[in-house]
C-alpha cells in the first residue's frame, strides 16, 4: 500500500487529454511538500518529468503539466501521443515517521494510448 | 553529461549482505547542491525508496529498511554505496542509484538523474 495513491491505469485516444491523480494526506502533500513526477518505459529507468509540482526539466514537452492543491496533485497530458504510453509515478515526502521527511512514491499509473 | 552506473553481484544468497556501488561520472558527489540515493523496484511493481546520502555523510533511510541498510560515500572514486543485510527472496528486485537535486533550503528534493538499474536476485 503506497503512501501516495494513484489510479492503476488511465487511457485515452491520441490527441485527447488525460489526467493522473496523486492523493496524499496531511503528513505529505498536505503538509506542504512538493510533488514530483517520473515517466518510466518498460525495462528502463524512470525519468524526471515534472519537479516542484509544475516545473518541467529541459527537454520535456509542454504537453505535460503538473499541479497541486491541498492533499493532492495531478499530472495532465494534453494532446496524448502514442509515445506517451508508459508508467507514471508521483513522489513527495512524508513526515509521519521522520521529522526530516521520508521519500514516498505513488503506486504508479499505466497510461495506455488507445 | 551526468551518468550513474550501478555495479555489484547479480545473485546473492539468502541471509547474506548485498553490496552495490554507484559510480558517478560527469559530476562530483561532493557538490553541495545534490544528494545521492538508492531506489528499488520489484519486477512489474512500483518504486520504493531505500535511502539518501549527502556529501557530508548525512544519511536518511526508509524506516522500513533502516535496520538493514547502510549507505556510504567514496569521494576519491566519486562513488557511493549501499549495503543491505539479511537479504531474502523479497529483496529480489531492480536497484537504481540516482541523484537528487536539493531544494531552496538545501534539503533533498527531486530525483533528476537515474542509473540504468541492476537486477539483484536472492536465491540459494
Amino acid at each position: 500500500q503506497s503512501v501516495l495513491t494513484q489510479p492503476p491505469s488511465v487511457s485515452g485516444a491520441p490527441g485527447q487529454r488525460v489526467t493522473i491523480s496523486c492523493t496524499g494526506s496531511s503528513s505529505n502533500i498536505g503538509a506542504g511538500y512538493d510533488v514530483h513526477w517520473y515517466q518510466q518505459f518498460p525495462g528502463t529507468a524512470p525519468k524526471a518529468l515534472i519537479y516542484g509540482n509544475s516545473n518541467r526539466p529541459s527537454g520535456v514537452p509542454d504537453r505535460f503539466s503538473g499541479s497541486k492543491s491541498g492533499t493532492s496533485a495531478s499530472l495532465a497530458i494534453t494532446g496524448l501521443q502514442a509515445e506517451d504510453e508508459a508508467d507514471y509515478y508521483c513522489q513527495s515526502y512524508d513526515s509521519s515517521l521522520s521529522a526530516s521527511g521520508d521519500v514516498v512514491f505513488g503506486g504508479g499509473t499505466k497510461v495506455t494510448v488507445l | 553529461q551526468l551518468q550513474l552506473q550501478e555495479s555489484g553481484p547479480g545473485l546473492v544468497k539468502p541471509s547474506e549482505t548485498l553490496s552495490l556501488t554507484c559510480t558517478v561520472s560527469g559530476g562530483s558527489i561532493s557538490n553541495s547542491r545534490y544528494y545521492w540515493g538508492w531506489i528499488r523496484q520489484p519486477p512489474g511493481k512500483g518504486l520504493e525508496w531505500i535511502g539518501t546520502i549527502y556529501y557530508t555523510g548525512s544519511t536518511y533511510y526508509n524506516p522500513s529498511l533502516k535496520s538493514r541498510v547502510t549507505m556510504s560515500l567514496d569521494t576519491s572514486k566519486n562513488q557511493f554505496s549501499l549495503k543491505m543485510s539479511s537479504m531474502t527472496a523479497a529483496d529480489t528486485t531492480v536497484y537504481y542509484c540516482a541523484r537528487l537535486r536539493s531544494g531552496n533550503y538545501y534539503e533533498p528534493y527531486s530525483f533528476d538523474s537515474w542509473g540504468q538499474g541492476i537486477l539483484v536476485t536472492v536465491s540459494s
Side-chain angles (χ1 to χ4, degrees):
Chain A
Q1 192 95 9
S2 300
V3 173
L4 304 178
T5 301
Q6 297 180 235
S9 63
V10 299
S11 61
Q16 283 190 330
R17 179 178 187 268
V18 297
T19 61
I20 302 170
S21 60
C22 176
T23 303
S25 66
S26 59
S27 63
N28 41 70
I29 298 175
Y33 290 107
D34 286 346
V35 178
H36 319 292
W37 292 89
Y38 306 91
Q39 178 188 56
Q40 185 180 35
F41 297 106
T44 69
K47 166 195 160 188
L49 193 66
I50 297 286
Y51 69 94
N53 305 317
S54 59
N55 301 292
R56 285 186 305 275
S58 174
V60 173
D62 60 6
R63 65 177 183 273
F64 293 95
S65 62
S67 63
K68 172 190 159 184
S69 178
T71 59
S72 296
S74 291
L75 173 71
I77 311 174
T78 57
L80 190 65
Q81 298 184 8
E83 66 205 54
D84 299 332
E85 191 162 286
D87 294 323
Y88 294 82
Y89 294 89
C90 61
Q91 177 249 312
S92 186
Y93 287 81
D94 188 280
S95 58
S96 58
L97 295 178
S98 303
S100 59
D102 300 319
V103 173
V104 288
F105 287 99
T109 298
K110 180 172 181 56
V111 169
T112 301
V113 182
L114 301 172
Chain B
Q1 183 177 346
L2 186 79
Q3 289 190 324
L4 300 97
Q5 179 67 58
E6 304 88 351
S7 59
L11 180 65
V12 176
K13 289 183 169 56
S15 80
E16 289 189 341
T17 296
L18 170 68
S19 292
L20 294 177
T21 297
C22 183
T23 300
V24 178
S25 57
S28 172
I29 64 170
S30 298
N31 189 326
S32 61
R33 294 173 55 195
Y34 300 103
Y35 290 74
W36 308 92
W38 290 95
I39 305 97
R40 68 181 185 176
Q41 183 176 36
K45 296 190 177 181
L47 301 167
E48 180 182 33
W49 171 67
I50 300 172
T52 299
I53 189 166
Y54 197 38
Y55 80 101
T56 57
S58 295
T59 53
Y60 312 82
Y61 298 137
N62 185 325
S64 67
L65 300 170
K66 187 174 184 177
S67 63
R68 301 169 50 209
V69 169
T70 302
M71 293 178 62
S72 60
L73 299 163
D74 186 337
T75 55
S76 66
K77 295 181 180 179
N78 218 35
Q79 296 174 333
F80 62 103
S81 299
L82 168 71
K83 289 189 187 300
M84 183 177 292
S85 63
S86 306
M87 295 287 283
T88 71
D91 298 312
T92 293
T93 180
V94 175
Y95 290 78
Y96 294 102
C97 63
R99 186 180 76 173
L100 297 93
R101 69 201 305 162
S102 59
N104 292 334
Y105 304 100
Y106 286 89
E107 77 282 14
Y109 196 56
S110 65
F111 297 94
D112 67 353
S113 189
W114 298 66
Q116 66 183 26
I118 182 170
L119 174 62
V120 175
T121 301
V122 182
S123 175
S124 55

